[in-house]
Amino acid sequence: TQGNLEVGQTIPASGAQEIDPATVITVLFNRPVVPLTTLSEQSNLPQPLSFDPPIDGQAEWLNTSVLVLRPSRPLPGGTTYTGHLSADLKDTDGNPLAEAYTWSFSTAAPKVISVSPDPQGPPARVDAAISVQFNQDVDAATARKAFQLLDAGGAAVQGETSVVSDTLTFTP
């Protein structure tokens, strides 16, 4: 007997931190799970992979024992994902996983890569817009909530905040 179907490796690995948000997720099994087939027949193959929080994207079998999930957009930064494979998944000979398989990884948090006007440069005009650029796209609501500009007395400066992709702009 061959024994149970097993997950040989996941990419990202379980417990991995600071994963690039544009990563492709891969699961490698110890033996064939699906028969050789054409791309047009992929929709008939098992799709045993799910995530919490959910990840939108296209899962495909690269070969008989490698499943790849290509997210439809970069994953949000600073988020921990838990992947699940159903215990009822079987290899091509009918051998199931011994139990449901679960692993988790975390994406890299956004980091500020530039601020304009330059805080180390000459004084800026009072009405100058402030731009903060990040190393990845950021969630608009979260970025707005996290940004605050204080005057010399410690009071919040009132203004409009907009977020487009990887850049937050504040206009007093």
Side-chain angles (χ1 to χ4, degrees):
T1 62
Q2 291 183 340
N4 291 90
L5 174 64
E6 296 175 8
V7 173
Q9 182 180 8
T10 58
I11 303 169
S14 187
Q17 304 279 322
E18 298 292 313
I19 298 302
D20 180 352
T23 194
V24 173
I25 299 160
T26 306
V27 180
L28 295 95
F29 295 92
N30 66 331
R31 62 174 66 106
V33 178
V34 297
L36 279 176
T37 185
T38 63
L39 287 175
S40 63
E41 296 172 330
Q42 285 263 336
S43 62
N44 300 327
L45 299 178
Q47 297 296 320
L49 187 57
S50 64
F51 283 91
D52 185 31
I55 297 175
D56 291 328
Q58 180 66 38
E60 67 178 336
W61 290 91
L62 288 185
N63 61 33
T64 61
S65 61
V66 177
L67 179 62
V68 171
L69 173 64
R70 297 177 199 287
S72 55
R73 61 186 170 281
L75 302 174
T79 304
T80 298
Y81 289 91
T82 302
H84 306 276
L85 288 164
S86 174
D88 60 359
L89 182 65
K90 297 178 180 168
D91 67 18
T92 54
D93 290 330
N95 300 301
L97 283 170
E99 58 188 8
Y101 184 85
T102 301
W103 87 104
S104 60
F105 61 89
S106 298
T107 53
K111 293 183 174 87
V112 173
I113 57 174
S114 70
V115 176
S116 176
D118 183 350
Q120 306 303 318
R125 291 175 37 110
V126 169
D127 61 348
I130 297 169
S131 293
V132 180
Q133 185 177 15
F134 298 90
N135 65 337
Q136 59 184 271
D137 289 352
V138 292
D139 176 70
T142 303
R144 281 189 192 99
K145 186 176 174 183
F147 180 84
Q148 186 176 31
L149 180 64
L150 304 177
D151 66 18
V157 175
Q158 299 300 309
E160 296 292 319
T161 305
S162 65
V163 178
V164 176
S165 172
D166 65 350
T167 304
L168 175 142
T169 302
F170 176 81
T171 307

